[in-house]
Amino acid sequence: MNNKRSNFTRIYFIGMAIIIIVMLYYAGSGLKSNDYKYNDLLNDLQNGKVTQLNISQNKEVPTGKVTVKLQDGSTKYVYITDVNQVISDIKDINDKTNQNIQPAIADVRRDSVFLTNILPMLLMGVVIVVVIMMMNANAAGGNSKMANFGKSRAKMVVEVKNMDFSKVAGLKEEKEELEEIVDFLKNPNKYIMLGARIPKGILLEGPPGTGKTLLAKATAGEAGVPFFTISGSDFVEMFVGVGASRVRDLFAEAKKNAPCIIFIDEIDAVARRRGTGMGGGHDEREQTLNQMLVEMDGFGVNEGIIVMAATNRVDILDPAILRPGRFDRKVLVGRPDVKGRKEILEVHAKNKPIGDDVDLEQIARITSGFTGADLENLLNEASILAAKAGKHFLTQAEINQAMIKVGIGKEKKSRIISEKEKRITAYHESGHAILFHVLPDVGPVHTVSVIPTGAGAAGYTMPLPGKDEMFLTKGKMLQEIMVDLGGRIAEELILDDITTGASQDIKQATATAKAMVTKYGFSDKLGLINYDDESDDVFIGRDLAHSKGYGENTASVIDEEVREIVIENAGLYPELTGFNNLKMLSKLNKKIDDEQIRKTIVRVGLNPNDKRSFKKYSLGMKQRIVIAQAIMEKPDILMLDEPTNALDEEGIEQIRKIIKEERERGAIVLIASHNKEDIEVLADKVFSICNGMLKESEE
């Protein structure tokens, strides 16, 4: 087909070239320039310079052309409008000059038969032939295009012959579920004899990059059957009926090649819930979905056609396609655990030269939450870095760099940063790092850097994931919020100012708090009710007129609960009593019991049985609770900010006594205070901060 089309194109251009040449010839012959005028002819005649004259008459009488041969041997020509007038002028000049110049008058020129008849016919014939050939070519191509427009775009993949379950790592249970399908395709009779109906459809559900497509190919390769693959978006076109036609053609082709597997990737593009979105939905998409439903019902129970589909948005699929008899079985392809990640790393590391210092098991432990695609990308980025450095094998250093690049972003070491910004970043990231270190459920710290990685990220603190966890606890989520806010709190404590560097931290903390309140039922006020409506977004499977499942009063309570969780995790809970505030904090250190909490409250001069909420305390009482919070765990390092602020004389003396006792216990006490008396009484060494610089005072 390509050769024919190229021949047609070649002939077409040759014909057009001939036409253009002829047109240029005629155009040129008629548009020649001439600087010899009729007056020049008359002057030359009078002066006796003319030796010969030839007059050629045109068909358009009396016009013509005079060719003049001069004594110097040159030949001139001039176009005339009246041949008779020229003859009369020549006769007059002859009479006056006694010359006898007689012009040779040619007969009226007749048109060439070739030029007038044959050549135009030839040219017209060439044009007609070229046009017919082009029309035939377009018709062939157009028919193939138009005829194929409604044909399926599914491709039969050949390379699945080299695929099997051994090439798929980290999906043990998922492979076990699909082995039944493989066994049926290989030995259908033993199932048919027992009246078993093999599932018509298998829906692979899971996050992007978990290996759904790879698993489908491995299933076809393991069974040794044809594998048709198509994307859900390939069905839908702007023309009505095309999608349905492609569905019909796909299943017709599958029946010809049965037993086989049809794999539809990203099926949510065509199988979304019907009647949704603005205007009630997309008619063409719905027709395509309807045809798919009909086709899945239409082929026989045990014809050997298995439809496999992949999606990461099963929540927006139409319920009709999920019923038994269509997609009967759902296989959840989740993120791999530490064992699965190690297996995946081993598969991707086979073709890579790995250094002796690379521990794949350790990499598997620190890559919690990574999918198979993420792990492959991690090793690929490490390979690129190693090649860039001129190494012949991968080392742990390249993998660590790749981890930062993949997880956080490329470090921008060339960016010019002032010393002030470096100090701010250092204090900010130290706030995160300290909390990662001291809080039991969120650490430990893996890397701390003050090198920017993006437009708003001046540095980063990367934790080292401990282990894979199926559930999040309320305590851990609160600790994550504390860590998020640690950078901002450090700025407030050290710099006496705050920056915009905590914007992403605040966003993340807010999202966590909102999930605690609306999704997980961690709010005492709202109870065990789900208020999360993120899955009900318009245009992804829900009605436009869909409203929230709660009123304005509840929305206000949600906002207040989120605010309290976020804000008060930088301090204390206003709705709780002093005792309950300390008890909430003691959950982080399970060695502290209720009796110790009571003794600590008494030690700072308060009543542990006081039922008033923290927000109703006086400023002095709040300060005492803050001191109790600091000394409750008997820390090795005690940091106090304005410890005697808002206290009366009795309270000041009591708190100073507590600080001295903590020093005698062996604790290192760091005090930030504007009270010179506190400094004189309690401090052995005094430092001052001026313009962000820490200096030891001589006083």
Side-chain angles (χ1 to χ4, degrees):
M1 177 63 71
N2 291 332
N3 292 333
K4 290 182 179 179
R5 297 193 67 178
S6 62
N7 291 333
F8 294 153
T9 304
R10 194 177 297 113
I11 294 173
Y12 173 78
F13 281 112
I14 292 174
M16 292 301 297
I18 294 173
I19 294 172
I20 292 171
I21 292 171
V22 173
M23 292 177 63
L24 290 175
Y25 172 79
Y26 279 106
S29 64
L31 297 175
K32 292 180 180 178
S33 63
N34 184 22
D35 56 356
Y36 193 74
K37 308 299 182 184
Y38 186 70
N39 290 330
D40 297 331
L41 171 62
L42 297 177
N43 292 329
D44 289 339
L45 285 170
Q46 292 177 358
N47 296 326
K49 295 181 179 181
V50 179
T51 61
Q52 185 178 347
L53 280 176
N54 293 316
I55 299 177
S56 301
Q57 300 183 76
N58 297 332
K59 288 194 307 180
E60 294 81 10
V61 179
T63 63
K65 175 183 177 183
V66 180
T67 304
V68 184
K69 193 171 182 179
L70 303 177
Q71 289 180 348
D72 59 3
S74 62
T75 302
K76 305 289 185 180
Y77 65 90
V78 61
Y79 295 101
I80 55 178
T81 59
D82 191 347
V83 174
N84 295 324
Q85 182 63 44
V86 175
I87 295 173
S88 177
D89 291 340
I90 294 172
K91 184 178 180 181
D92 291 340
I93 293 174
N94 284 334
D95 293 340
K96 292 179 180 180
T97 60
N98 294 320
Q99 299 183 70
N100 189 23
I101 299 174
Q102 297 297 325
I105 302 174
D107 293 335
V108 177
R109 186 174 60 183
R110 299 179 62 182
D111 292 335
S112 172
V113 176
F114 177 78
L115 294 177
T116 58
N117 297 320
I118 298 176
L119 183 60
M121 292 177 65
L122 289 174
L123 292 177
M124 183 60 67
V126 170
V127 171
I128 293 173
V129 170
V130 171
V131 171
I132 292 174
M133 289 181 175
M134 293 296 295
M135 290 178 63
N136 289 336
N138 291 332
N143 283 335
S144 63
K145 291 180 181 178
M146 293 302 295
N148 292 333
F149 202 66
K151 290 187 177 293
S152 170
R153 295 185 178 180
K155 300 178 181 178
M156 185 181 294
V157 181
V158 179
E159 59 264 24
V160 295
K161 294 180 180 179
N162 302 320
M163 287 289 299
D164 53 41
F165 285 149
S166 64
K167 304 291 179 60
V168 181
L171 299 173
K172 182 180 178 181
E173 286 75 15
E174 291 82 353
K175 289 189 289 186
E176 289 177 354
E177 281 199 73
L178 295 175
E179 283 176 355
E180 299 176 6
I181 306 299
V182 174
D183 189 38
F184 169 79
L185 292 172
K186 287 184 176 180
N187 306 296
N189 291 330
K190 73 176 184 179
Y191 292 90
I192 296 174
M193 288 175 59
L194 295 174
R197 180 183 62 82
I198 204 69
K200 287 186 178 181
I202 310 293
L203 184 64
L204 303 176
E205 176 196 356
T210 52
K212 299 184 294 293
T213 302
L214 182 65
L215 194 61
K217 289 183 179 180
T219 304
E222 191 79 23
V225 297
F227 182 75
F228 294 90
T229 178
I230 190 172
S231 173
S233 59
D234 288 336
F235 289 110
V236 183
E237 291 280 358
M238 64 179 291
F239 302 106
V240 177
V242 172
S245 176
R246 288 176 179 174
V247 171
R248 287 192 296 269
D249 185 71
L250 172 61
F251 281 90
E253 190 69 20
K255 290 177 182 179
K256 295 177 183 178
N257 294 273
C260 64
I261 291 178
I262 300 173
F263 178 65
I264 305 174
D265 200 7
E266 305 296 343
I267 194 174
D268 50 276
V270 68
R272 288 187 181 183
R273 190 183 297 266
R274 290 169 290 183
T276 59
M278 185 175 291
H282 191 299
D283 290 339
E284 171 60 11
R285 179 178 58 78
E286 292 188 2
Q287 288 182 23
T288 305
L289 175 57
N290 291 334
Q291 186 63 42
M292 185 176 294
L293 298 176
V294 171
E295 292 293 338
M296 293 190 71
D297 282 338
F299 61 82
V301 175
N302 290 313
E303 286 189 1
I305 302 174
I306 306 294
V307 182
M308 301 184 71
T311 182
N312 57 351
R313 293 300 311 273
V314 70
D315 57 310
I316 66 173
L317 296 181
D318 194 279
I321 205 166
L322 299 176
R323 72 160 176 81
R326 288 167 180 161
F327 283 102
D328 328 61
R329 183 172 297 184
K330 301 178 187 65
V331 178
L332 180 61
V333 187
R335 300 178 187 273
D337 57 9
V338 62
K339 182 181 179 183
R341 292 195 298 272
K342 183 183 177 183
E343 294 176 359
I344 294 171
L345 288 169
E346 290 174 347
V347 170
H348 293 302
K350 282 183 180 180
N351 300 323
K352 293 180 173 62
I354 304 294
D356 295 335
D357 62 336
V358 177
D359 187 355
L360 295 180
E361 186 172 352
Q362 181 188 8
I363 298 173
R365 287 198 303 270
I366 66 176
T367 51
S368 178
F370 276 47
T371 65
D374 295 330
L375 295 171
E376 188 275 336
N377 186 47
L378 174 65
L379 292 184
N380 184 64
E381 290 290 344
S383 300
I384 294 173
L385 292 172
K388 187 178 179 180
K391 297 183 179 180
H392 299 289
F393 53 87
L394 274 70
T395 65
Q396 189 64 39
E398 283 77 41
I399 293 178
N400 291 337
Q401 293 179 42
M403 182 76 75
I404 296 171
K405 186 177 181 180
V406 172
I408 299 175
K410 176 70 175 176
E411 291 183 334
K412 301 182 184 301
K413 297 182 180 180
S414 62
R415 181 175 294 179
I416 300 175
I417 306 172
S418 65
E419 290 297 323
K420 180 181 179 181
E421 290 177 328
K422 288 182 180 179
R423 286 196 300 272
I424 293 173
T425 304
Y427 286 127
H428 183 100
E429 299 303 331
S430 297
H432 293 307
I434 290 172
L435 291 174
F436 271 128
H437 179 69
V438 299
L439 298 175
D441 298 330
V442 291
V445 178
H446 181 265
T447 306
V448 181
S449 175
V450 294
I451 301 174
T453 58
Y460 61 89
T461 302
M462 180 185 292
L464 184 65
K467 56 183 179 179
D468 296 323
E469 295 179 341
M470 293 183 64
F471 305 107
L472 288 173
T473 64
K474 182 179 181 180
K476 182 176 181 179
M477 297 183 76
L478 290 175
Q479 292 178 44
E480 289 176 348
I481 294 175
M482 295 177 189
V483 172
D484 292 334
L485 301 176
R488 168 62 65 85
I489 295 172
E491 293 177 8
E492 293 177 351
L493 292 175
I494 305 298
L495 304 173
D496 285 334
D497 201 358
I498 55 178
T499 69
T500 60
S503 60
Q504 185 62 31
D505 299 330
I506 295 172
K507 181 180 179 181
Q508 191 168 322
T510 304
T512 303
K514 186 178 180 181
M516 293 175 65
V517 173
T518 62
K519 188 181 294 184
Y520 302 125
F522 289 166
S523 170
D524 294 332
K525 288 185 178 180
L526 296 172
L528 304 179
I529 299 176
N530 183 279
Y531 294 102
D532 182 41
D533 59 350
E534 292 183 356
S535 61
D536 297 336
D537 293 338
V538 181
F539 306 120
I540 60 170
R542 305 297 183 202
D543 295 336
L544 180 66
H546 181 82
S547 60
K548 294 182 178 180
Y550 50 87
E552 293 298 326
N553 292 334
T554 303
S556 299
V557 175
I558 291 173
D559 293 340
E560 183 66 21
E561 288 288 278
V562 172
R563 186 192 67 82
E564 289 187 4
I565 290 177
V566 174
I567 296 177
E568 300 307 328
N569 267 284
L572 296 170
Y573 294 93
E575 300 297 332
L576 301 181
T577 64
F579 176 83
N580 289 334
N581 264 296
L582 297 184
K583 188 173 181 179
M584 180 70 70
L585 293 171
S586 70
K587 292 181 179 179
L588 303 178
N589 186 349
K590 300 182 180 176
K591 296 180 180 179
I592 302 174
D593 54 22
D594 291 357
E595 186 61 29
Q596 288 176 286
I597 297 174
R598 291 189 177 90
K599 289 181 179 180
T600 304
I601 294 176
V602 172
R603 188 180 176 190
V604 297
L606 295 177
N607 182 8
N609 298 319
D610 193 341
K611 300 300 182 183
R612 289 177 293 178
S613 61
F614 181 77
K615 65 181 181 182
K616 295 182 179 180
Y617 281 12
S618 65
L619 292 177
M621 295 174 68
K622 289 180 178 179
Q623 183 67 13
R624 292 172 187 261
I625 287 294
V626 171
I627 299 295
Q629 174 190 355
I631 66 175
M632 179 175 62
E633 299 185 23
K634 298 180 180 180
D636 296 330
I637 300 176
L638 183 61
M639 300 179 65
L640 300 174
D641 184 25
E642 304 289 353
T644 60
N645 187 36
L647 295 177
D648 54 16
E649 292 294 329
E650 181 182 354
I652 292 173
E653 291 300 322
Q654 188 172 15
I655 297 305
R656 287 175 180 174
K657 179 183 177 184
I658 291 174
I659 294 173
K660 291 177 181 179
E661 291 173 351
E662 291 297 309
R663 290 179 56 189
E664 293 173 358
R665 181 177 61 80
I668 299 173
V669 182
L670 302 176
I671 300 174
S673 178
H674 294 87
N675 192 324
K676 292 184 177 180
E677 190 175 349
D678 282 345
I679 296 172
E680 293 173 355
V681 173
L682 301 173
D684 296 327
K685 290 186 177 182
V686 180
F687 297 86
S688 61
I689 298 177
C690 183
N691 296 325
M693 300 296 294
L694 187 65
K695 299 180 180 179
E696 185 174 359
S697 301
E698 297 179 356
E699 298 180 359

